[in-house]
Amino acid sequence: MQKKPPADNASLMARRRAAIPRGVGQSHEVFIARGENAEIWDVEGKRYIDFAGGIAVLNTGHRHPTIVEAVKTQLDHYTHTCFQVVAYEPYVELAERINALAPGNFAKKTFFLSTGSEAVENAVKIARAHTGRSAVIAFSSGYHGRTLLTLGLTGKVAPYKTGFGPFPSEIFHARFPDALHGVSVDDSLASIEAVFKNDVEASRVAAIIVEPVQGEGGFNVAPPEFLQRLRALCDQHGILLIADEIQTGAGRTGTWFAIEHSGVAPDLITMAKSMAGGFPLSAVVGRAEVMDAPGPGGLGGTYAGNPLACAAALAVLDVFESDRLLERSRQLGLRLTASLKALASRNPCIVDVRGLGAMVAMELGKGGDPHQPDADLTRRLCAEATRRGLILLACGTYGNVVRILVPLTASDLIVDEGMAIINAALSAIEAD
Ligand SMILES: Cc1ncc(COP(=O)(O)O)c(C=O)c1O
């Protein structure tokens, strides 16, 4: 057999371009060989600190030993039956543990899927089945996935929705509060009232879906008052409140669910990403009587709640307890925020530093103006940081927000090293 030549990033990129459609984007031209906690090494042996965590999937880091061990053990017993055909205990145990974690003093039920988009799709199905209503209200700059229903809910056109319409009907968008850009909580709630006046009567709205902190939209934090008033509005009209916690959940913000900061109990919560430490798993948790609205066979999926992913998710919950990761998330948030604020005091291009717990970001504006988004600088900063050994991601409606999603298990030393790279990369670009 002929020996394969050693791979390098450039040749793998060339093969990727030839074999894979360009629609599957790639932030950085790097191919991983190995990952360990908050560090990765590429196929050329270069080391990177990982501030992206596979887009909010690795709150417990790459290959946490407890999670690896749990999956290996599961692998030795069975890997797939389809839960609807032959059931298995890890699925049930995980549902019980998530029910106990979800906010709200009422009975809950949980079921599992594979991707975040699927969880959102199913939350909408359940809300429709329970209320007998069809309409759904989502928010500007919100992101809910790439399937056709979730793209309809997503409040950002390029690149997600471009060319893919028409989207399902009966979806309406209200304005997400954004004090930096002049949208107050009152403005936002008034925009929902406007939907009721202009588009659909409140009595036909099944659900309002909201991210407690918008992820792809730019780490915009929903003020607690907004979420509380949204809850009251939903109660007034018999509308279900869905919290999309796919990016904010699994301890990212210092509580297991970000909505806990507001004291609000949603009717349904969607989860995915970090809940299974890198294995494909998503969930919908909600009020038991709402979750039981669809009839038998109405929910599920061939791979939904895969045994390996359930074993990983149970281990993630154990690691959160053993490594005290909620506390760590809060500490890390303070450390990252202080560091970004110090950077902002020296760099007027940073027009805002914001976040909740360890979900932290900075927004870049031309000439220090928050109304002139600087997507070009953001792109250059992420590229320069990668060149210097830090995987960094952008987000935001205008692509001008740098977000930090470093594993909560990262040491202060690694976090500070990553922050120093951001600092140096920004200085290098500005000196250019
Ligand atoms: C808030 C939110 N909802 C839904 C999704 C879609 O999840 P997935 O990419 O697993 O389908 C994402 C993914 O980034 C997300 O951040």
Side-chain angles (χ1 to χ4, degrees):
M1 205 170 62
Q2 216 179 355
K3 210 167 157 231
K4 266 188 169 178
D8 62 79
N9 291 312
S11 63
L12 286 169
M13 277 309 294
R15 282 173 56 197
R16 179 199 153 109
R17 285 196 184 98
I20 295 166
R22 64 184 184 145
V24 185
Q26 187 170 332
S27 311
H28 305 293
E29 300 198 350
V30 173
F31 280 76
I32 187 172
R34 187 168 67 85
E36 189 94 42
N37 198 1
E39 294 166 283
I40 64 176
W41 287 265
D42 74 7
V43 287
E44 296 171 17
K46 179 172 169 166
R47 167 195 178 253
Y48 299 83
I49 293 172
D50 187 359
F51 268 21
I55 319 188
V57 171
L58 297 170
N59 288 352
T60 48
H62 291 269
R63 296 170 55 246
H64 192 292
T66 307
I67 299 167
V68 170
E69 195 50 47
V71 173
K72 278 184 178 165
T73 305
Q74 182 58 47
L75 204 48
D76 284 338
H77 288 85
Y78 53 90
T79 59
H80 177 82
T81 62
C82 184
F83 187 74
Q84 297 106 280
V85 179
V86 174
Y88 35 92
E89 187 178 357
Y91 186 120
V92 179
E93 185 188 344
L94 186 60
E96 289 167 345
R97 288 179 73 174
I98 291 173
N99 291 338
L101 282 172
N105 192 16
F106 43 78
K108 291 163 206 113
K109 288 193 174 181
T110 295
F111 81 111
F112 300 104
L113 301 138
S114 305
T115 68
S117 304
E118 249 187 305
V120 173
E121 292 257 352
N122 277 276
V124 171
K125 279 164 55 182
I126 293 165
R128 285 180 171 166
H130 178 75
T131 59
R133 305 173 179 188
S134 50
V136 184
I137 297 177
F139 289 92
S140 54
S141 299
Y143 181 83
H144 300 288
R146 290 179 185 273
T147 58
L148 278 172
L149 175 68
T150 58
L151 276 180
L153 295 168
T154 289
K156 179 179 175 184
V157 175
Y160 308 120
K161 297 168 90 151
T162 310
F164 296 138
F167 302 106
S169 58
E170 297 287 75
I171 293 170
F172 305 95
H173 285 94
R175 300 173 81 193
F176 192 82
D178 181 357
L180 184 68
H181 301 103
V183 185
S184 67
V185 168
D186 283 345
D187 293 335
S188 176
L189 290 160
S191 74
I192 300 176
E193 296 292 348
V195 168
F196 295 158
K197 284 270 176 290
N198 302 333
D199 300 308
V200 63
E201 57 274 38
S203 60
R204 279 194 34 233
V205 178
I208 297 181
I209 181 163
V210 66
E211 292 162 87
V213 183
Q214 289 190 325
E216 305 303 303
F219 280 30
N220 308 311
V221 183
E225 180 208 346
F226 170 68
L227 295 168
Q228 289 152 8
R229 288 173 64 186
L230 204 54
R231 176 72 272 180
L233 187 77
C234 285
D235 290 344
Q236 184 189 342
H237 295 291
I239 297 170
L240 298 181
L241 181 62
I242 305 173
D244 183 345
E245 294 253 14
I246 286 163
Q247 192 152 160
T248 52
R252 188 73 221 169
T253 70
T255 48
W256 183 259
F257 294 102
I259 196 112
E260 292 174 58
H261 292 276
S262 67
V264 166
D267 301 292
L268 296 166
I269 305 177
T270 54
M271 320 172 54
K273 292 195 183 269
S274 276
M275 72 176 292
F279 290 82
L281 188 73
S282 64
V284 184
V285 54
R287 281 182 190 276
E289 74 273 17
V290 174
M291 295 291 289
D292 273 332
L299 304 175
T302 307
Y303 296 110
N306 170 269
L308 297 171
C310 286
L314 287 167
V316 166
L317 290 173
D318 291 342
V319 167
F320 262 79
E321 282 172 24
S322 61
D323 295 11
R324 302 166 64 92
L325 289 186
L326 291 182
E327 198 179 311
R328 174 64 184 152
S329 174
R330 293 190 284 270
Q331 283 168 355
L332 197 55
L334 293 175
R335 193 174 194 91
L336 291 168
T337 305
S339 181
L340 287 180
K341 285 200 165 149
L343 196 63
S345 69
R346 298 189 299 274
N347 294 278
C349 62
I350 302 172
V351 296
D352 195 31
V353 171
R354 57 177 175 262
L356 195 60
M359 189 169 179
V360 177
M362 62 179 179
E363 180 163 333
L364 306 182
K366 286 180 194 148
D369 181 355
H371 303 294
Q372 291 193 56
D374 203 338
D376 182 52
L377 177 59
T378 310
R379 245 188 320 271
R380 288 170 65 201
L381 176 57
C382 291
E384 183 60 24
T386 303
R387 215 180 55 75
R388 291 167 180 263
L390 174 72
I391 303 289
L392 199 57
L393 276 185
C395 62
T397 303
Y398 301 99
N400 65 323
V401 179
V402 174
R403 58 177 149 177
I404 299 180
L405 290 163
V406 63
L408 305 175
T409 43
S411 67
D412 284 348
L413 210 64
I414 291 272
V415 171
D416 292 350
E417 191 184 339
M419 291 306 304
I421 294 177
I422 295 180
N423 192 353
L426 198 54
S427 302
I429 293 169
E430 289 190 333
D432 206 16

